[in-house]
Amino acid sequence: MTAAAARSTELKPEHFDVLIVGAGVSGVGAAYHMRTQMPEASYVVLEAQETFGGTWHTHKYPGIRSDSDLYTFGYRFKPWLGDPIAKGEKILAYMGEVIQENDLARHIRYRHKITGASWSSETCLWTVTARRGDTGEEVRFTTNFMWMCQGYYRHDQGYTPQWAGMDTFKGPIVHPQTWPKDVDLKGKRVVVIGSGATAATLVPSIADEVAHVTMLQRSPTYFSPGRNADELADTLRALKIDPSWIHEIVRRQRLYLGSVFTKRAFTHAEEVRKEMLGVVKASLPEGFDVDKHFTPSYLPWRQRIAFVPDGDLFKAIHAGKASVVTDEIDRFVEDGILLKSGETLHADVIVSATGFDLSVLGDIPFEVDGAPVDFSQTVTWRGMTFTGVPNLAWVFGYFRASWTLRVDIMADFIIRLLKHMRAKGVAKVTTELRPEERDMERLPWMDPDNFNPGYLMRSMHLMPKRGAKDEWGHTQDYWREKDELPAIDLDDSVFHYAKPTAAVAAPQPRKTEDA
Ligand SMILES: Cc1cc2nc3c(=O)[nH]c(=O)nc-3n(C[C@H](O)[C@H](O)[C@H](O)COP(=O)(O)OP(=O)(O)OC[C@H]3O[C@@H](n4cnc5c(N)ncnc54)[C@H](O)[C@@H]3O)c2cc1C
């Protein structure tokens, strides 16, 4: 143990009623809801990085932008005033305004990476350790409730498959998640491996600067090109309607259209597929091999669909600045990539837009009453809580709708639960299988036939299990959850409440102003 760590274990931990992990879009939203819905409680946000933003701070590759619209990716409580698809810096500015307008900064501790969390049923408290990035010191906190907003992937490094011959390639190999400041693309031949939202953003963003950019994919992805504007929002703005009304109206319209699309993607998959491919075909040059390069083997909505604002990816292809190759990598060679077809793609720079590594609850080692928690052995209740793990909820957003929609509705639910516990005079809650559910089949977190992105498929075995009943899984269905969550009976037999088993004095919560 270091001297700093030894000193910190001697110090009395700071106590907060609620401890929010992460200051990304989920953590900042959680802090806002604590402040507005439960001002009587104390809370702190611990964030490993030096500032807020999470995903939007970590990713700095050229063109970084949302792939869903900001009317629904924005919070329900703060109107979005810009174009529907927004650049990373605009999203950060929006989050910065939420922090500033609601005086949240004093509740956030940056450079605090949580390294462990241990629950005691004697005291009904979590003891949380964090390492400070600035001093290296280990600090401790106690809290009644852990509000997990740490996202779903590792922030320090992206996922790069290991290909033969990578060390022989003479140029840089970069990952968009750790984009180097000094990488020079001017006049270079660039190959971007992958065809997800990141590749579709990067390719048009660098197309004018480079000699040529090739998007190399093993298999095609669905894209949805369209104008980066919202007609309804523009009309309402022209009518000088209040921005908060515009936000609400446009949100409702987009959510309604989203629900219609999602339903159709399941009930009329073939029809939707044809329509989507038709739009893509119309955006590409005459004679372009759409079947080969833009016709996915899976049905629509089994992976996120990337919106292509103003068709910029297709414009770059039209201009001859970008091309698509659908093939498999045999090996990296000195000046590029040798493909299984025998062709060599010559490159000066290779970008591996191959996704990320899933992280289960921030890779934090958790203990409950001295026993390590293996989340893969737990069953999730509504993709929020986990059997046997008290006083903890994970904000895992939506994939087929904007992530943030769940940030708001989960906050309503968590705060309702916390208030209910106070009213009942209890300090512990777990969600447990009812006796008749104990033999229920345990299934993977997501049904791979329903949603199957690579990062989930690679790490599904580490994720908590789903049960055969919808209630025991993350339905990914905002339209159901928005009505179901507020109606949940908090005295249902799924909730197990308890008081501390030891007679201990309750820790003095810090006053909210002190955080
Ligand atoms: C490039 C990209 C684009 C995306 N675009 C969209 C989109 O358009 N629409 C959409 O709905 N979704 C999108 N997503 C998904 C996106 O990640 C979520 O929408 C959302 O930003 C996640 O927010 P979050 O706060 O839950 O997690 P994150 O943004 O991942 O933030 C988590 C924070 O927790 C911190 N943290 C993690 N572990 C610890 C720890 N142990 N101690 C302390 N702090 C910790 C991290 O440092 C980070 O700041 C995108 C994802 C990526 C990668």
Side-chain angles (χ1 to χ4, degrees):
M1 195 191 273
T2 63
R7 213 175 32 255
S8 82
T9 51
E10 287 161 16
L11 292 174
K12 202 165 176 289
E14 280 184 83
H15 179 79
F16 294 93
D17 297 328
V18 171
L19 190 147
I20 297 166
V21 183
V25 77
S26 303
V28 170
Y32 169 86
H33 287 291
M34 278 302 295
R35 176 156 182 81
T36 51
Q37 296 192 47
M38 209 173 174
E40 67 280 16
S42 64
Y43 68 93
V44 69
V45 183
L46 300 185
E47 167 55 58
Q49 305 202 57
E50 66 281 8
T51 186
F52 63 88
T55 294
W56 309 101
H57 169 69
T58 298
H59 287 83
K60 298 189 172 76
Y61 59 81
I64 167 76
R65 67 186 177 206
S66 66
D67 57 10
S68 51
D69 76 272
L70 261 289
Y71 290 96
T72 57
F73 190 75
Y75 303 106
R76 70 175 178 217
F77 55 83
K78 167 136 175 106
W80 176 253
L81 304 174
D83 294 336
I85 299 295
K87 286 267 157 58
E89 74 247 23
K90 291 250 167 79
I91 300 175
L92 285 175
Y94 173 86
M95 288 174 67
E97 284 172 23
V98 171
I99 293 173
Q100 199 245 324
E101 287 161 8
N102 298 285
D103 199 16
L104 303 179
R106 64 205 169 86
H107 298 269
I108 309 177
R109 309 265 176 100
Y110 294 114
R111 299 186 175 88
H112 277 65
K113 185 177 172 66
I114 296 175
T115 50
S118 169
W119 168 266
S120 157
S121 295
E122 283 194 351
T123 57
C124 283
L125 291 176
W126 285 102
T127 300
V128 175
T129 48
R131 198 174 46 253
R132 286 186 58 155
D134 47 357
T135 60
E137 199 184 344
E138 191 173 89
V139 285
R140 289 193 308 147
F141 300 84
T142 55
T143 188
N144 301 95
F145 195 90
M146 292 194 73
W147 193 324
M148 302 300 299
C149 297
Q150 78 300 320
Y152 62 101
Y153 67 91
R154 296 205 178 117
H155 277 255
D156 50 354
Q157 204 179 312
Y159 168 72
T160 307
Q162 290 309 296
W163 289 287
M166 281 174 94
D167 52 344
T168 59
F169 178 62
K170 62 182 182 340
I173 302 173
V174 299
H175 192 287
Q177 195 172 315
T178 40
W179 192 263
K181 274 199 188 104
D182 54 356
V183 65
D184 179 16
L185 300 180
K186 207 157 188 229
K188 300 274 167 66
R189 294 163 304 175
V190 180
V191 172
V192 177
I193 304 170
S195 59
T198 301
T201 300
L202 247 171
V203 168
S205 303
I206 61 175
D208 284 339
E209 178 192 358
V210 300
H212 190 81
V213 51
T214 307
M215 185 168 91
L216 169 61
Q217 58 179 7
R218 196 165 42 181
S219 54
T221 311
Y222 284 103
F223 291 110
S224 167
R227 211 159 69 85
N228 188 16
D230 190 293
E231 247 173 66
L232 178 59
D234 290 345
T235 307
L236 295 172
R237 256 179 227 126
L239 297 174
K240 305 261 182 286
I241 303 291
D242 186 278
S244 60
W245 284 34
I246 300 178
H247 189 65
E248 182 61 23
I249 293 168
V250 175
R251 226 171 124 84
R252 285 192 195 199
Q253 189 201 39
R254 284 185 171 262
L255 287 168
Y256 170 72
L257 295 176
S259 79
V260 171
F261 179 78
T262 302
K263 272 192 206 118
R264 281 192 68 228
F266 285 86
T267 56
H268 296 79
E270 217 26 68
E271 217 174 283
V272 171
R273 178 190 173 83
K274 275 197 196 121
E275 282 166 18
M276 292 192 72
L277 296 179
V279 179
V280 167
K281 195 170 180 179
S283 313
L284 284 162
E286 193 63 38
F288 191 94
D289 194 344
V290 176
D291 285 350
K292 182 167 182 191
H293 301 305
F294 284 102
T295 306
S297 56
Y298 58 92
L299 293 170
W301 251 160
R302 270 59 175 180
Q303 300 194 18
R304 252 189 120 84
I305 295 172
F307 182 74
V308 180
D310 302 319
D312 58 4
L313 171 67
F314 303 108
K315 283 183 187 155
I317 295 172
H318 254 292
K321 297 292 294 179
S323 51
V324 185
V325 169
T326 306
D327 205 328
E328 281 191 53
I329 296 174
D330 182 68
R331 54 173 46 249
F332 281 40
V333 291
E334 207 181 312
D335 65 339
I337 296 174
L338 174 65
L339 301 171
K340 289 220 168 128
S341 63
E343 189 194 344
T344 300
L345 278 181
H346 297 285
D348 304 305
V349 179
I350 295 175
V351 180
S352 175
T354 40
F356 21 73
D357 275 325
L358 187 85
S359 156
V360 180
L361 288 138
D363 300 317
I364 297 167
F366 283 86
E367 275 183 6
V368 170
D369 293 326
V373 178
D374 176 353
F375 279 97
S376 70
Q377 298 303 309
T378 67
V379 184
T380 183
W381 180 76
R382 295 185 181 270
M384 291 187 199
T385 57
F386 311 95
T387 49
V389 185
N391 294 27
L392 175 146
W394 179 3
V395 180
F396 197 114
Y398 299 112
F399 289 127
R400 290 200 186 93
S402 287
W403 181 276
T404 323
L405 293 164
R406 204 162 197 244
V407 172
D408 285 329
I409 62 173
M410 265 190 72
D412 295 342
F413 176 78
I414 293 171
I415 290 173
R416 188 160 72 87
L417 178 64
L418 294 174
K419 287 185 174 176
H420 186 70
M421 289 171 71
R422 282 193 172 191
K424 269 177 103 75
V426 293
K428 177 182 176 185
V429 62
T430 50
T431 44
E432 303 293 353
L433 296 165
R434 302 173 185 92
E436 66 275 19
E437 291 167 337
R438 293 208 180 116
D439 296 329
M440 185 172 52
E441 193 186 354
R442 310 289 201 268
L443 298 161
W445 170 265
M446 274 307 290
D447 174 1
D449 289 337
N450 186 309
F451 196 77
N452 53 25
Y455 61 89
L456 255 185
M457 295 299 106
R458 285 194 295 276
S459 305
M460 194 89 92
H461 59 287
L462 304 173
M463 291 291 280
K465 296 288 175 291
R466 176 169 54 94
K469 267 171 76 177
D470 274 1
E471 186 191 7
W472 292 100
H474 188 332
T475 60
Q476 285 289 337
D477 190 340
Y478 165 73
W479 294 273
R480 260 175 76 176
E481 283 202 330
K482 76 175 174 33
D483 298 326
E484 281 180 7
L485 296 194
I488 287 168
D489 173 6
L490 296 176
D491 286 319
D492 185 283
S493 57
V494 81
F495 299 104
H496 289 218
Y497 296 105
K499 295 185 178 183
T501 55
V504 284
Q508 277 312 298
R510 288 176 60 111
K511 289 221 173 64
T512 294
E513 296 74 51
D514 299 337

